[in-house]
Amino acid sequence: MIFCAFRADAMFVRKDCKDRIVINSDDSGVLVLVVHFYLMLNISKLRKSSDLRIIVFGISGSGVSSTGNTILGYHTFKTGTAFSAVTTSCTIETTKRLDKRLTIVDTPGFPVGMDENRLDETFHNLRHAVKMLEPGPNIFLLVVSVERFTEDHNFMVRCLQQLQDISKFTIVAFNRVDCLQEAKSTTMKHINNSETLGELLQLSSRRFVLFDNTTTDEMQVKTLFEMANDLIRKNHNSILTEGTFSGNAINQVNAVVNKRQEEWKNAMNVYGAKPSLLQRICRMCNIL
Ligand SMILES: Nc1nc2c(ncn2[C@@H]2O[C@H](COP(=O)(O)OP(=O)(O)OP(=O)(O)O)[C@@H](O)[C@H]2O)c(=O)[nH]1
Ligand SMILES: [Mg+2]
């Protein structure tokens, strides 16, 4: 670029009446400035592309905010157990971590139970998270407890499968490994061989890490960063856009929601007439 600019016999970038760029030879100082700004812009672009910009997401209550805190190395996102979700809006935090400029957006999680009406809100939050992480997130970290994989998880995976490109950016963080008795290597083997986790792992192209949010051990964060670096390189620094969580994607997610409601309705038709075990116990005990 510098070579070309000097060869072009000059200096100042302006447009002539034919709208071509004309360079005059008498403003060498300005050219130096132009080249300088050009390089600065590109260095800053390069630096931004190697930054880690992560959306943390998962089933509400599964440890989304705690995982964000562990990655940051300090507690900033609100965590805890409550009857309702602790995180109710997106929160952003930036820091320098293990020689990386790291920015994380903590999100309200995927709604549990039959609360499909809240899905609109969930996708609104995800679009907001993308905007907050300007120029855009390069990692979508899906937090899943290693202890259990429920119908809610299945439903979440089915919804996320509808989002174009999401699997290009997804890494699964299995947390609560401290709650297991087995060694990490055994857990990894179980995960890799699990049929139940098949679709989830397909969503992340089998990329996953193990997390224990009760420890400050940096090794798990290093492992995640290495995986993230490889992924960012593989994706040629591309980013998730708001489009992933809007437009046609929403229609497809709604189709999944409708299908699920249909399945539940059918199940009710089959079993609804018969009293549930709980109803029978209540009747026997004269509670109702
Ligand atoms: N033992 C153990 N507990 C964890 C781990 N990760 C999270 N927790 C606990 O799980 C509970 C919920 O964690 P949060 O991080 O608040 O979960 P969340 O998904 O952000 O929840 P909401 O914001 O309410 O949707 C907290 O009490 C955490 O301390 C883990 O790896 N091990
Ligand atoms: Mg939270």
Side-chain angles (χ1 to χ4, degrees), residues 60-61 63-66 77-80 85-88 106-109:
S60 180
V64 175
S65 308
S66 304
F77 300 135
K78 209 168 151 194
T79 64
V86 172
T87 308
T88 52
D106 181 27
T107 59

Side-chain angles (χ1 to χ4, degrees), residues 119-174:
L119 268 185
D120 277 350
E121 203 182 308
T122 304
F123 283 96
H124 168 82
N125 286 327
L126 286 170
R127 287 193 294 275
H128 186 49
V130 171
K131 264 197 254 171
M132 289 169 92
L133 279 167
E134 214 270 319
N138 42 23
I139 299 293
F140 184 75
L141 193 71
L142 192 56
V143 178
V144 176
S145 165
V146 81
E147 284 181 302
R148 67 181 50 176
F149 194 82
T150 63
E151 173 50 32
D152 283 321
H153 289 88
N154 255 326
F155 178 54
M156 176 180 73
V157 171
R158 272 160 61 198
C159 288
L160 293 177
Q161 279 170 342
Q162 311 307 316
L163 310 179
Q164 213 192 355
D165 280 348
I166 193 83
S167 60
K168 257 177 79 179
F169 299 92
T170 304
I171 295 176
V172 175
F174 287 104

Side-chain angles (χ1 to χ4, degrees), residues 59 110-116 150-153 155 260 264:
I59 295 271
F110 192 88
V112 283
M114 291 297 289
D115 205 358
E116 283 111 352
T150 63
E151 173 50 32
D152 283 321
H153 289 88
F155 178 54
R260 190 199 203 199
W264 277 93

